[in-house]
Amino acid sequence: MTDADYPSYKDTDSFIDVQRLKSLDGFITQRLRERLAAANDRHFYTGPFLLDDDAPDRPGSRMIELTRSREPEDYYDLDRTEIWEPTAEAEHFAPLMDFIATLPFAATGRMLILYDPSGGAVSAHKDHDSAELCHEFLWMRTNLRKPFYMLDPPSGARAYVGGHSAWFDTVNQFHGADASDGLSFSIRVDGVFDDAFRRRIPFPSENRSSAPSLWAKAG
Ligand SMILES: [Fe+2]
């Protein structure tokens, strides 16, 4: 059980340089358009924890991996920062990597750009089912086109992310995206938050994955 309210997310815009993030919109959009013809980027997989079992677990989204693990793929390794290393894509997106270096992380692990050339919906899902595992990450977007939401199944209520960045509970609620017109994309950076950022977070003694929602509730 948790004291958090769902659906909810922690808006993190006040902890990052939003103007700099927004300024990357044209650059990233152009880079993505350049590669749309070469559609061999890996499909994004929601994982097995779908809200609706019949919803697609490989929607139209594709991933650009800015870092890759040196070890066999394991979702529980996202925050083992020592095993992740930059890919050739990181160079291709150098201005984005420079921005990521300004984020409140002591160390970074997995970094992804998730994009969909046709702005398709992303099926509502949970990322994993380990309540004590709290991934420290920032979800970000350079524009507001991707309608991204948290969803609480008992009520079906949704909370749409309003700003450019968020940290959210990926275990005790679902998240997904509605379809939008044309290319949509977002960026997710996992790692270990730095001490100053961590000190702000009300990590609970149980159900650690609810920390973002507890923080959102605390205001
Ligand atoms: Fe997810």
Side-chain angles (χ1 to χ4, degrees), residues 44 125 127 175:
F44 168 66
H125 64 279
D127 283 350
H175 56 276

Side-chain angles (χ1 to χ4, degrees), residues 44-46 75 110 122 125-127 148 168 170 175 188:
F44 168 66
Y45 171 48
T46 62
Y75 198 80
R110 189 184 72 162
V122 177
H125 64 279
K126 297 178 177 182
D127 283 350
F148 192 69
F168 51 91
T170 61
H175 56 276
R188 175 168 163 166

Side-chain angles (χ1 to χ4, degrees), residues 191-204:
V192 176
F193 290 139
D194 66 28
D195 286 344
F197 194 75
R198 268 191 159 179
R199 274 196 295 272
R200 299 172 179 274
I201 302 170
F203 284 110

Side-chain angles (χ1 to χ4, degrees), residues 53-121:
D53 285 338
D54 296 328
D57 62 5
R58 282 183 179 74
S61 324
R62 291 175 181 272
M63 298 185 296
I64 296 172
E65 296 163 296
L66 300 170
T67 54
R68 195 170 290 134
S69 167
R70 281 193 297 270
E71 297 190 4
E73 196 158 280
D74 182 342
Y75 198 80
Y76 295 92
D77 282 349
L78 297 194
D79 56 352
R80 288 180 59 207
T81 58
E82 69 280 5
I83 66 172
W84 293 83
E85 50 197 11
T87 62
E89 301 290 6
E91 251 167 77
H92 199 55
F93 288 90
L96 172 60
M97 297 302 288
D98 292 344
F99 169 72
I100 288 171
T102 71
L103 298 173
F105 287 99
T108 48
R110 189 184 72 162
M111 302 184 201
L112 287 180
I113 301 172
L114 227 74
Y115 73 99
D116 188 327
S118 58

Side-chain angles (χ1 to χ4, degrees), residues 5-26:
D5 294 331
Y6 298 104
S8 60
Y9 62 91
K10 178 61 185 177
D11 184 303
T12 50
D13 280 3
S14 59
F15 304 108
I16 69 170
D17 185 345
V18 174
Q19 290 312 314
R20 185 166 171 179
L21 174 62
K22 288 166 72 173
S23 77
L24 292 168
D25 189 54

